[in-house]
Amino acid sequence: MLRALKEDLLHDVKSKELRVIVISAEGPVFCSGHDLKELSTQDDVKHHTEVFEVCAEVMTLIQRLPVPVIAKVNGLATAAGCQLVASCDIAVASEKSRFATPGVNIGLFCSTPAVALGRSLPRKVALEMLFTGEPLSAHEALMHGLVSKVVPEDKLEEETMRISRKICESSKSVLALGKATFYRQMAQDLDTAYKITSQVMVDNLTLRDGQEGIEAFIQKRKPVWSHAQDKKK
């Protein structure tokens, strides 16, 4: 499943037509994480290492993709499933959705989900989830920043598509630059972050779409995006 998800995420990633990715599921569970049978002692350490390495690759890939990735959650997201939600750029959840890291209850602490969780939630909220395994409701997840929006189940598709369409109105190259810079500066101290982003603002102005957007605003017209990374001559 992880390999298939990685393949799907990378499919046509360089195409100008690809503007946003939505990860969703069918049934009452968004994602329940790893198959515990696959983590039994019947498999060797090499296999276990491969499982977690591939999982980490998928989670980090999401933030390195040049387009926004939205989790559309309609149900339970536990362990690596909760990690998946936390790793996405945006998460829209139905009111019935719940989020948990219950590994501690079966003797396998959710250490890898804790990486994404600790970067999305306040430390004490994340640690309570990790130490107790108790789930957050959709509204608790919204309050603490794990998800972006909570809507009634019958409005989930509509709201996810509304956000997706709004993203599609912007330049892909500008969004790609902005997303990469956001995650890059988050890992820096304040002074370094401002130094990095100040230079990126300058670089953004040299893009063809950077200049097109400004010219369109001044001329009071809709911009015509090229979605290209090339600079204005």
Side-chain angles (χ1 to χ4, degrees):
M1 178 62 75
L2 284 165
R3 290 195 185 99
L5 181 56
K6 182 180 178 180
E7 185 177 332
D8 286 341
L9 287 169
L10 289 171
H11 181 69
D12 279 345
V13 72
K14 294 184 179 179
S15 169
K16 289 183 181 179
E17 301 302 313
L18 180 65
R19 310 297 300 286
V20 62
I21 295 171
V22 177
I23 300 176
S24 62
E26 295 181 1
V29 176
F30 172 75
C31 180
S32 59
H34 296 291
D35 180 356
L36 294 178
K37 292 178 181 177
E38 194 177 11
L39 302 178
S40 70
T41 53
Q42 294 175 7
D43 291 303
D44 59 20
V45 172
K46 183 180 178 181
H47 175 74
H48 294 162
T49 301
E50 184 182 5
V51 168
F52 291 110
E53 284 180 348
V54 173
C55 185
E57 287 174 10
V58 170
M59 301 302 169
T60 54
L61 171 64
I62 289 171
Q63 295 182 357
R64 290 173 182 157
L65 290 169
V67 297
V69 181
I70 303 174
K72 186 178 80 170
V73 186
N74 188 30
L76 184 64
T78 64
C82 188
Q83 179 184 5
L84 179 60
V85 175
S87 297
C88 287
D89 303 310
I90 297 171
V92 186
S94 67
E95 291 174 330
K96 74 174 188 179
S97 299
R98 293 187 301 153
F99 307 85
T101 48
V104 68
N105 297 326
I106 58 165
L108 183 63
F109 197 86
C110 288
S111 294
T112 46
V115 174
L117 217 60
R119 285 162 170 75
S120 297
L121 292 169
R123 182 182 301 179
K124 290 178 175 60
V125 176
L127 287 172
E128 182 178 348
M129 289 182 69
L130 291 162
F131 291 163
T132 68
E134 292 180 346
L136 289 183
S137 68
H139 287 288
E140 287 172 328
L142 176 63
M143 178 174 66
H144 295 303
L146 182 59
V147 301
S148 319
K149 292 277 183 72
V150 173
V151 296
E153 184 177 1
D154 61 355
K155 297 291 184 182
L156 181 60
E157 176 74 13
E158 178 185 331
E159 180 61 17
T160 305
M161 289 303 102
R162 185 194 69 77
I163 295 170
S164 299
R165 284 191 293 270
K166 186 63 180 174
I167 288 170
C168 290
E169 292 177 8
S170 299
S171 162
K172 179 177 181 177
S173 57
V174 172
L175 276 170
L177 179 63
K179 175 177 172 175
T181 305
F182 176 83
Y183 286 114
R184 182 183 170 199
Q185 64 86 22
M186 285 293 289
Q188 308 298 324
D189 63 75
L190 195 63
D191 289 339
T192 304
Y194 271 118
K195 185 175 181 179
I196 289 170
T197 53
S198 294
Q199 182 57 53
V200 170
M201 294 290 285
V202 174
D203 295 340
N204 195 157
L205 286 169
T206 67
L207 290 178
R208 186 193 304 179
D209 282 352
Q211 286 299 309
E212 167 62 17
I214 291 172
E215 289 173 8
F217 179 82
I218 293 170
Q219 296 168 10
K220 294 181 171 56
R221 62 173 174 82
K222 283 191 173 183
V224 180
W225 305 122
S226 69
H227 304 294
Q229 294 284 355
D230 54 327
K231 297 182 178 180
K232 176 113 174 156
K233 294 180 181 178

